[in-house]
Amino acid sequence: MSDKYAPLPEHKFSFGLWTVSNRGRDPFGSEVRPPLAPVDAVKMLAQVGAWGVNLHDNDLVPIDATPAERDRIVKEFKQACDSHGIVVPMATVTLFFDPAFRDGAFTANDPAVRAYALQKTLRAMDIGAELGAKIFVLWGGREGTETDACRRADDAVKRLRHAIDYVCEYSIAKGYGYTFAMEAKPNEPRGDIYMATTGNYLGLIPTLAHPEMVGVNPEVAHEQMAGLNFTHAVAQAWEAGKLFHIDLNDQVPGRYDQDFRFGAANPKSAFFLVKFLEDVGYAGPRHFDAHAYRTENYDGVKDFARGCMRTYLILKEKAARWNADAEIQAIVKEIHEPSMPTPAEATYSPAHLATLLGHTFDRGTLAAKNLPYERLDQLTVEVLLGTR
Ligand code: GLT
Ligand code: MN
Ligand code: MN
């Protein structure tokens, strides 16, 4: 493997404990890999050159652990992270696995389930804070329906808002300094999940008590499952100052939730994503929320993890090449130039309004402007295929 693509701490590549420890179970088949203890997962991540590990409360601490067991497990894990030079940038909470959450967690109809979900989240925040995490992800995998007879969807929104406001207050009260990154998904495991897309969360956030503490954690596969352009979702989040975290993986449109290695299915859209993140200077973690094919043993899991990071770095290099390519940049310049004399762009003012309304546009000239997007896309493809 060429050193040019070796992962470095500055790249901030992280993996969920649940990703490299994924044992390959699916709805039609049992586990194919033996359990991997959290401390061994940390060791593996250090071996492949990752920077960070993220975790759910129950990836580390069993749901029925006693307080003493919890303290011992967290302490040992922290020691393993320290000795392997792995950081914990993000923590999250399992609000989808236990049967108690079969009707949702924060949005469940049973107030006792909602309260339990909150309590569990606060305790997960305690674990994350102890490990140094500053980002807390909330993925509402069970917050949804199979039948809308069960509750009014606007009540679900209100319940969700209440829970987010509560956890923000807890972070403030404890001085944890968390930001919260909300992760959308359209369906699976529920028939329909509330907050189906990143855009839904961008609409909810301004209605919260502490909007400044809450952003989004878009996931490649989740937007693509909805048939959407992931880079557009990321760009809107970025432009709103809300790109607090990102889940990188890949997905073939129209399939089940595949969580493939980053770039495995759609290298061209992965390229535009990496180019966007690098062009704007996104400085947060680059988290791979994916897992190895079910065919793999743990050597294959390492291949998977190395592949995620290597593909990211190759695409980063391709993006730099694209930005430096004279022919590409000449086209980019050309397509942004006005086709005819035009009033300068400005915000609304009576003077500008008079100029704009008084200007005569020639629609024929506008329609005739050269837009060589075929050529531009072909050059992009050639950069990707390595002929430029
Ligand atoms: C689960 C899900 C992911 C979420 C994780 C955070 S858990 O694996 O598929 O997309 O990011 O709760
Ligand atoms: Mn995810
Ligand atoms: Mn996923």
Side-chain angles (χ1 to χ4, degrees):
M1 224 178 251
S2 143
D3 276 341
K4 201 161 70 161
Y5 305 120
L8 298 171
E10 72 206 42
H11 299 132
K12 294 194 178 174
F13 289 136
S14 61
F15 289 82
L17 208 47
W18 67 95
T19 66
V20 286
S21 311
N22 179 290
R23 299 178 57 199
R25 195 183 56 174
D26 72 18
F28 303 96
S30 63
E31 289 83 353
V32 294
R33 293 184 280 270
L36 183 68
V39 292
D40 293 330
V42 168
K43 188 172 162 196
M44 181 199 284
L45 287 174
Q47 282 169 356
V48 299
W51 160 79
V53 64
N54 304 315
L55 69 156
H56 297 87
D57 49 354
N58 303 139
D59 295 339
L60 182 62
V61 181
I63 196 166
D64 51 4
T66 65
E69 284 165 350
R70 175 252 183 241
D71 289 350
R72 179 186 52 78
I73 293 168
V74 174
K75 196 169 150 220
E76 283 173 11
F77 186 74
K78 193 166 166 37
Q79 278 165 359
C81 290
D82 290 346
S83 68
H84 290 291
I86 294 284
V87 300
V88 180
M90 176 272 262
T92 181
V93 58
T94 307
L95 295 178
F96 42 86
F97 195 83
D98 194 87
F101 300 122
R102 73 199 194 287
D103 185 37
F106 296 148
T107 64
N109 282 339
D110 182 348
V113 172
R114 299 201 296 272
Y116 174 55
L118 259 185
Q119 183 198 67
K120 193 169 189 298
T121 304
L122 306 182
R123 290 183 175 157
M125 289 166 63
D126 296 341
I127 294 175
E130 206 171 319
L131 296 169
K134 290 288 174 203
I135 302 168
F136 198 89
V137 162
L138 286 168
W139 173 62
R142 292 280 171 200
E143 315 287 13
T145 64
E146 285 73 41
T147 169
D148 284 328
C150 68
R151 76 181 70 79
R152 266 176 50 169
D154 58 335
D155 285 338
V157 176
K158 289 182 175 59
R159 291 171 184 171
L160 186 58
R161 179 185 297 114
H162 169 265
I164 300 170
D165 288 347
Y166 200 104
V167 299
C168 285
E169 294 296 350
Y170 184 68
S171 177
I172 294 168
K174 292 290 241 179
Y176 284 161
Y178 275 122
T179 55
F180 294 87
M182 309 303 300
E183 180 175 342
K185 189 174 182 184
N187 56 271
E188 205 180 333
R190 297 309 296 266
D192 291 286
I193 300 178
Y194 302 122
M195 303 292 144
T197 70
T198 296
N200 291 67
Y201 273 124
L202 291 175
L204 177 73
I205 290 168
T207 74
L208 299 172
H210 291 284
E212 72 289 351
M213 293 174 67
V214 185
V216 291
N217 177 39
E219 173 169 320
V220 176
H222 295 180
E223 303 292 317
Q224 290 183 347
M225 283 172 73
L228 301 176
N229 181 315
F230 184 66
T231 301
H232 292 191
V234 167
Q236 191 182 349
W238 172 262
E239 202 275 338
K242 291 298 178 192
L243 188 63
F244 286 8
H245 198 260
I246 192 164
D247 276 4
L248 303 172
N249 58 12
D250 215 346
Q251 169 78 29
V252 176
R255 304 287 167 87
Y256 63 97
D257 178 9
Q258 295 175 304
D259 289 333
F260 280 161
R261 188 182 74 256
F262 182 59
N266 305 290
K268 188 175 169 190
S269 57
F271 164 77
F272 283 118
L273 172 66
V274 171
K275 180 167 150 36
F276 180 84
L277 295 174
E278 297 301 323
D279 283 352
V280 299
Y282 168 73
R286 283 142 176 89
H287 171 231
F288 298 103
D289 186 7
H291 49 76
Y293 301 146
R294 193 164 179 268
T295 47
E296 304 306 295
N297 59 22
Y298 280 111
D299 285 335
V301 172
K302 287 186 195 172
D303 290 337
F304 146 81
R306 289 193 178 104
C308 285
M309 297 185 285
R310 187 172 163 83
T311 296
Y312 187 100
L313 293 173
I314 293 169
L315 292 175
K316 181 178 169 178
E317 186 196 47
K318 300 281 183 196
R321 191 173 292 261
W322 195 97
N323 287 340
D325 187 300
E327 192 175 349
I328 289 175
Q329 291 311 313
I331 297 176
V332 169
K333 185 165 180 287
E334 179 190 347
I335 61 182
H336 287 90
E337 273 161 8
S339 56
M340 55 176 286
T342 307
E345 243 171 347
T347 50
Y348 183 92
S349 71
H352 189 269
L353 178 67
T355 311
L356 180 64
L357 292 178
H359 193 81
T360 304
F361 291 94
D362 184 284
R363 287 187 290 112
T365 305
L366 300 181
K369 179 175 155 83
N370 192 29
L371 293 174
Y373 293 172
E374 281 287 0
R375 179 85 191 126
L376 184 57
D377 188 67
Q378 178 63 25
L379 293 172
T380 303
V381 168
E382 292 196 17
V383 167
L384 276 175
L385 296 182
T387 56
R388 291 183 76 82

